[in-house]
Amino acid sequence: MSAAVLAGLAVVPVGLGAAPALAAGVAPTPVNLNSAGPFADSFRQDPALNTVPLRGLNVGLDQRQQGSVRPVSWTRTSGRWDTVVPPDSSYAQVSTAGQPNRLVFTQGVSALMLGAPVIADTDGTYTVSTVVDPSVGDTSSGDWASIVLSRSHRAMGYVTSGDVDLGLTVTSSGKLALFHGGGGETAFWQGAVAPADRYAVSLKVSTGADKAVTLTVNGTAFPITGPASVNRWPSSAFLYLGAYLSTPGQLTTFGDGTSTGAGTGVSVSRIDASATASAKPFVDTFDGAPAGTDNGLNDDLSARQPTLVSANYTAVSGAKGLAATPPAGSVRVNSQTAPNVLSFPQGSAAVRLNKPATADLSGSYTVHARLTPSVGRTSGADAATLLVSNASGATGAVDAEDVALGLRVQADGTLALYQGGKTLPLLTGAVTPGSDTYDVSLALTGGTARQATVTVNGTTVFADQTPANLPRDGYVHLGSQRVTPGTVGAVDDLRVSMLGGLGYYGYFDVMDPGENIDHSPELFPWTNMNNFVNQDLTDPRYAGFLDYCRPASCVLDVSKVVSVPDPTREGKRQPTPDTPAALAALVSRIGANLDKISVIYTQDEPYYQGFSADQVQTEVNQVRAAFPSRMLAYTTDLWHLTAPVPSGVDLVGFDNYCAGRGTNTQKLAALQGVLASPDQHLVLFPEAIAIKDLVGCENSTDADTAAYNAEYRAMAAQNPRVVQLHNFRWLSTRQPTDFPLTTQQAQRIGRAVVEATPTPAASGVGIYRPGDHSVSENSHNDVYLGTSGTSPLFTSSDDIPLTGHWNGPGIDTVGVYHRATATFVLPNGDGTTSSYKYGNPGDIPIVGDWTGQGRTTIGVYRPDTQVFYLSNDNVTSAINFKYGNPGWTPLVGNWSGRGVTTIGAYDKNTQMFYLRDTNTWGDADHHFKYGNPGDTPIKGDWDGSGIDTVGVYRPDVRAFYGSAKEGTLTVYGVQFGNTNDQPLVGNWG
């Protein structure tokens, strides 16, 4: 955006600073996102290694585990139905003196989760095998051992919980029961074997249409079919082992206890080691999601997505042209006819992943999916598409101008690769179909390097430089283009090497050494990444906390490992004399729990501590050498915001408390401008409490802090390079009581991140061109989306364009108001339109959802009387009242965030906005000045907050500006269109 565009308003730039040009190089190698293989844990271990607090759980995994994807750690969970807080480490131990070479549950109720999901083998089945003794020395009680399979990596492991896909209990007396999906204490199958000291158990699960489960206990096989509530068993599920002991002193064991030979602990036919290998990957299995209001598309996301990061989708048309909502039912997940996949049963359509694929420090990213152009067919022109778009609001058409790289695969193996609406030459134009499904990967190097590699079924079909630059943050679309009636297209196993946008949410410092309490369990429902500050892993009080971390979810602060107090400068620090040795000792202490760590926090504000740029870089290099597979984080202070950012760190941040969105947005832009690499990502640190002892926060209240939290979320929504909000700090169980508003705000934001709750799309802009009656649209991130060409909706240069979701929730489309006849013409979503005569000639048309019914209806404002007439059915006037003064312009929007459009007005003479939160007569609830003389008032949801705020269109520079609430700050600005165009704003998807 030019300086001229920004002139006259307090516009804060949000995008990246100037990035160094990347020289053209070799095409990127696709990241292996499908590392999988058999797994076994023998639990064979010297009892001397069972010490407090680790109790042997994740000790020596390299020696006791077998398989191609080891080591994989275990996580302690509550194993209960009524709490997320796990018991202390004594409840679950490995190889005690009395029960060597076994996993031992010693009391009460608890469970363990294996840190990688079980997945189906090539035959569509998976098997879990173990030897259990539900109650050592007892063959008559009802106490039980449990094997639980749940799609969710956030389950507690209790056998009858709602998130359990398949749960088995084996009692000490030999009774067997299988449970599914929170059916209470009622099992869908029960059986029994003769009482025995131990039970050799094998649980084989078919993910096919037969829904078969083969349970074998002590040699007796039980063939079982899943209940009617199961469509198919999931192809990916996390394994939980647990115990229910009602009598003190009793033990439950897993494993046969052998010290030599083959021995049995627990074995799994196949696990997916990629999904939880680090905090970066994203995987969607499309498994087992219930058919909800959007046909399963956004149901149960955090369960069916086994990775730390979850993301939601938007259904789009898949066709070139203006945005449109596809017909209901054209996109489904886990339907009866296409279970455990994303399917397209009604012609052509597409879905967009609403977080962008993003390059990490390698400069590249990989997108993988299994595409089925036509289920059951290996011939014909039906096609599936996988594409990366430059636009945040694209339609998903593979041949559209916004497409950075898109592959089209036909059922017969014919291939076509697109960029910007044009085809690119391929090494081969077709692959031989081995089945109806094609395994596809796109690897992109962003920026001017513009290198890409495309593979299909293991064959490289493109490895070259592309004509146009490739995005560092690209929006993934999955689609179907079908020409054969009655066929169904499908997509499965979507995997992305890393996602941009806000994906990590948690707290900086959740285990203060001063009070020796790990607060992460109480934060678990709304966080997925928390920082343990300055933990001394040699201290027994703290050494066990990693056993409680879910895979790749804990941030480890090494500040006090890489630095020591500087005796010559009070309160400052200096590098540790032998940092590599100190880090090597730390790595040794972490051991197999390394997979619990998402990020290594290198040093807090090293320049403030007095480190030089060379010392900062050296420290980062040393940490990177010690932790090559973990992300690294670095923070700076305000006084050194533009000091050299070290290369080799993945996440870069700063804190600036109680400063407000405007100041912090400016600071963030300054920091982005000095990043060592354009592929580094950003972290923001919201206040978690009212910190009155900090400069600028002396008068801060709980309400102020809650409002700041909302502003940080809005900043992240505006900038896909911001991937983490790390609240400062959580130090007391009293925090929700002492700071209720801030805690509630954090819970709302955090749950939306962790659960990938669909949030409103940020508004895009567009124009209506009276000269040729055309409409053009631009995405929120300023990428041209397309034009209608001459639209039959418009018949006169006096026509007024309108935007709304006329037929229910979904993407906004363009309607028209004919002034001469006072007639609204609105699209029905099926290619037809409906006309409604409403009001009088001379009225000003307005549209909105006046009562929160989920669709846009019409209304008019009568200038000579200043009366609003609002209709809920496009026929009759349901609400009418007077508001405003002569000469004012009506403006309506969802000002309150309640999903109800309410009225407002703009005085062009003073540039004052007067907004009401209800559709009633009265004084303005909000009034403020924004814009310049000659501006046209507009409104939009500029940051995806679900709240409309005002903006202006400046005709002389063809620029759109969107404000924060109350007009205090310009948060959005873009140029689009030509002189004499009329501005449009809408949710284009």
Side-chain angles (χ1 to χ4, degrees), residues 700-739:
S700 145
T701 65
D702 182 29
D704 295 332
T705 309
Y708 290 143
N709 271 248
E711 291 182 347
Y712 279 108
R713 189 223 66 88
M715 289 172 61
Q718 286 285 77
N719 189 339
R721 306 304 294 180
V722 177
V723 297
Q724 182 182 17
L725 291 183
H726 218 40
N727 299 274
F728 183 83
R729 309 163 69 181
W730 189 283
L731 298 180
S732 171
T733 54
R734 287 189 50 81
Q735 209 145 314
T737 302
D738 294 343
F739 304 99

Side-chain angles (χ1 to χ4, degrees), residues 506-513 516-524 527-537 541-550 552-561 586 590 596-602 724 726-727 729-731:
Y507 286 79
F508 179 92
D509 199 355
V510 296
M511 187 174 175
D512 194 302
N516 190 30
I517 296 175
D518 178 1
H519 293 289
S520 59
E522 64 200 76
L523 308 176
F524 178 77
T527 64
N528 63 0
M529 186 183 285
N530 290 300
N531 191 324
F532 291 79
V533 174
N534 298 330
Q535 296 304 309
D536 181 359
L537 296 184
R541 293 178 299 169
Y542 316 129
F545 76 89
L546 287 173
D547 280 350
Y548 294 87
C549 293
R550 302 280 170 146
S553 68
C554 287
V555 179
L556 185 63
D557 187 328
V558 298
S559 293
K560 290 189 177 179
V561 177
L586 176 63
I590 292 170
K596 305 293 186 65
I597 297 173
S598 56
V599 175
I600 303 294
Y601 189 80
T602 57
Q724 182 182 17
H726 218 40
N727 299 274
R729 309 163 69 181
W730 189 283
L731 298 180

Side-chain angles (χ1 to χ4, degrees), residues 508-879:
F508 179 92
D509 199 355
V510 296
M511 187 174 175
D512 194 302
E515 67 176 349
N516 190 30
I517 296 175
D518 178 1
H519 293 289
S520 59
E522 64 200 76
L523 308 176
F524 178 77
W526 74 91
T527 64
N528 63 0
M529 186 183 285
N530 290 300
N531 191 324
F532 291 79
V533 174
N534 298 330
Q535 296 304 309
D536 181 359
L537 296 184
T538 63
D539 189 325
R541 293 178 299 169
Y542 316 129
F545 76 89
L546 287 173
D547 280 350
Y548 294 87
C549 293
R550 302 280 170 146
S553 68
C554 287
V555 179
L556 185 63
D557 187 328
V558 298
S559 293
K560 290 189 177 179
V561 177
V562 300
S563 68
V564 294
D566 186 341
T568 66
R569 298 176 303 153
E570 184 178 356
K572 303 295 183 180
R573 303 184 69 82
Q574 63 184 6
T576 298
D578 192 350
T579 298
L583 287 168
L586 176 63
V587 170
S588 177
R589 292 194 294 272
I590 292 170
N593 268 322
L594 182 64
D595 62 359
K596 305 293 186 65
I597 297 173
S598 56
V599 175
I600 303 294
Y601 189 80
T602 57
Q603 177 77 284
D604 189 49
E605 301 180 351
Y607 288 112
Y608 177 78
Q609 298 294 340
F611 282 48
S612 69
D614 287 344
Q615 288 174 320
V616 172
Q617 186 64 63
T618 297
E619 173 191 286
V620 167
N621 294 344
Q622 292 167 336
V623 177
R624 172 57 71 200
F627 297 96
S629 64
R630 303 297 97 179
M631 289 197 289
L632 305 188
Y634 152 91
T635 59
T636 189
D637 59 272
L638 290 177
W639 296 274
H640 299 89
L641 197 64
T642 57
V645 174
S647 62
V649 292
D650 303 82
L651 307 176
V652 180
F654 72 99
D655 54 41
N656 187 27
Y657 301 121
C658 307
R661 183 174 177 179
T663 298
N664 280 333
T665 303
Q666 290 177 325
K667 301 295 185 186
L668 183 64
L671 180 61
Q672 280 189 264
V674 297
L675 292 179
S677 164
D679 297 312
Q680 291 175 316
H681 289 82
L682 300 164
V683 184
L684 297 174
F685 292 85
E687 304 89 318
I689 56 177
I691 313 172
K692 294 184 178 295
D693 58 345
L694 293 180
V695 174
C697 298
E698 298 86 346
N699 299 314
S700 145
T701 65
D702 182 29
D704 295 332
T705 309
Y708 290 143
N709 271 248
E711 291 182 347
Y712 279 108
R713 189 223 66 88
M715 289 172 61
Q718 286 285 77
N719 189 339
R721 306 304 294 180
V722 177
V723 297
Q724 182 182 17
L725 291 183
H726 218 40
N727 299 274
F728 183 83
R729 309 163 69 181
W730 189 283
L731 298 180
S732 171
T733 54
R734 287 189 50 81
Q735 209 145 314
T737 302
D738 294 343
F739 304 99
L741 298 178
T742 302
T743 301
Q744 291 162 19
Q745 183 74 273
Q747 289 172 339
R748 283 191 291 270
I749 297 169
R751 283 195 172 95
V753 173
V754 170
E755 299 172 6
T757 306
T759 53
S763 297
V765 303
I767 57 94
Y768 165 62
R769 187 159 293 160
D772 62 4
H773 298 320
S774 67
V775 172
S776 299
E777 294 173 351
N778 201 51
S779 69
H780 179 77
N781 69 332
D782 194 17
V783 176
Y784 175 71
L785 296 176
T787 182
S788 66
T790 300
S791 171
L793 285 175
F794 299 91
T795 60
S796 166
S797 59
D798 287 336
D799 289 344
I800 298 176
L802 309 165
T803 61
H805 41 280
W806 318 108
N807 306 294
I811 292 169
D812 287 347
T813 55
V814 177
V816 65
Y817 176 75
H818 297 299
R819 294 184 203 238
T821 59
T823 301
F824 293 79
V825 180
L826 309 178
N828 293 322
D830 59 1
T832 65
T833 60
S834 295
S835 298
Y836 307 95
K837 183 174 175 58
Y838 187 79
N840 299 331
D843 289 348
I844 298 175
I846 52 177
V847 294
D849 186 352
W850 314 119
T851 57
Q853 60 184 330
R855 70 184 184 100
T856 305
T857 54
I858 63 178
V860 296
Y861 174 75
R862 195 153 292 160
D864 54 349
T865 60
Q866 299 90 59
V867 175
F868 286 82
Y869 297 90
L870 311 179
S871 175
N872 290 326
D873 59 6
N874 295 331
V875 178
T876 59
S877 178
I879 307 168

Side-chain angles (χ1 to χ4, degrees), residues 881-892:
F881 53 89
K882 183 175 181 177
Y883 184 76
N885 290 332
W888 287 9
T889 301
L891 186 70
V892 299

